[in-house]
């Protein structure tokens, strides 16, 4: 009986954290693209390296886009592709760091014409695929993990065409424990 109560409390806490994370990701964006030229020093050391975009087959998700270190890149349904616009800032950007666009990007298995950039509110550049801004998921600890797949019903691994990856599990590849 006590064990059942602990599970119920844990599940309630997990649901609260999920709701908080999803709401932060959907409401903390700014509504306009900045016109500043921005300095090149706005990228932080916590952002992933994205000098190469390639494809990889990831268990339970399929063939998706990964960065130069093999980490899965995601797209966010609250962003827009035409025109490209990121709507993930603040708490959202802490959980879902933008894939930085720094210098030339090598492309393997992806149509180069689909790769672009968007300027974020802080003036930094973010990689896009078919217009969709790309992100990493901070809970993916190892290359080829896709714990962010399907989070909140609005985050999906990006396919080589920029579409949403289909998930075999209906949640993250870690059994829904992506938080």
């Amino acid at each position: 009986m006590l064990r059942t109560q602990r599970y119920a409390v844990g599940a309630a806490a997990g649901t609260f954290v999920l709701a908080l994370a999803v709401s932060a990701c959907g409401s903390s964006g700014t509504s306009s693209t900045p016109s500043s030229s921005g300095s090149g020093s706005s990228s932080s050391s916590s952002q992933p390296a994205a000098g190469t975009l390639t494809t990889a087959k990831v268990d339970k998700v399929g063939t998706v886009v990964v960065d130069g270190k093999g980490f899965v890149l995601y797209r966010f349904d609250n962003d827009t592709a035409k025109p490209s616009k990121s709507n993930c800032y603040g708490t959202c950007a802490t959980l879902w760091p933008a894939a930085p666009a720094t210098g030339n990007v090598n492309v393997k298995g992806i149509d180069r014409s689909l790769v672009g950039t968007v300027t974020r509110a802080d003036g930094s550049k973010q990689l896009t695929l078919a217009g969709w801004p790309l992100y990493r998921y901070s809970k993916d600890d190892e290359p080829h993990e896709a714990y962010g797949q399907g989070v909140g019903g609005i985050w999906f691994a990006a396919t080589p065409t920029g579409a949403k990856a289909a998930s075999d599990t209906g949640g993250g590849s870690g059994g829904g424990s992506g938080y």
Side-chain angles (χ1 to χ4, degrees):
M1 171 98 165
L2 184 57
R3 177 174 275 176
T4 303
Q5 289 173 335
R6 285 183 186 159
Y7 287 130
V9 169
T15 301
F16 174 75
V17 169
L18 173 63
L20 182 61
V22 169
S23 67
C25 291
S27 63
S28 55
T30 58
S31 61
S32 64
T33 303
S35 59
S36 68
S37 60
S39 68
S41 62
S42 62
S43 64
S44 73
S45 60
S46 65
Q47 290 181 327
T52 300
L53 291 181
T54 189
T55 60
K57 181 138 176 67
V58 175
D59 288 343
K60 300 180 182 176
V61 181
T63 300
V64 297
V65 176
V66 296
D67 68 13
K69 294 183 178 182
F71 286 91
V72 173
L73 295 176
Y74 298 89
R75 54 175 275 179
F76 180 37
D77 280 354
N78 290 355
D79 286 346
T80 59
K82 293 181 182 179
S84 294
K85 184 174 185 312
S86 173
N87 288 306
C88 181
Y89 294 96
T91 303
C92 179
T94 300
L95 191 58
W96 300 92
T102 55
N104 292 331
V105 176
N106 296 317
V107 178
K108 297 178 184 174
I110 301 164
D111 182 348
R112 178 171 285 290
S113 70
L114 295 177
V115 178
T117 64
V118 65
T119 302
R120 295 178 55 78
D122 66 0
S124 64
K125 299 284 186 180
Q126 180 174 3
L127 286 173
T128 63
L129 184 60
W132 291 99
L134 296 175
Y135 303 86
R136 282 254 322 263
Y137 183 48
S138 63
K139 303 292 182 174
D140 288 349
D141 296 324
E142 299 289 328
H144 301 153
E145 287 182 344
Y147 292 118
Q149 175 66 10
V151 168
I154 55 177
W155 287 97
F156 298 93
T159 69
T161 62
K164 299 177 196 179
S167 176
D168 293 340
T169 63
S173 67
S177 62
Y179 287 96

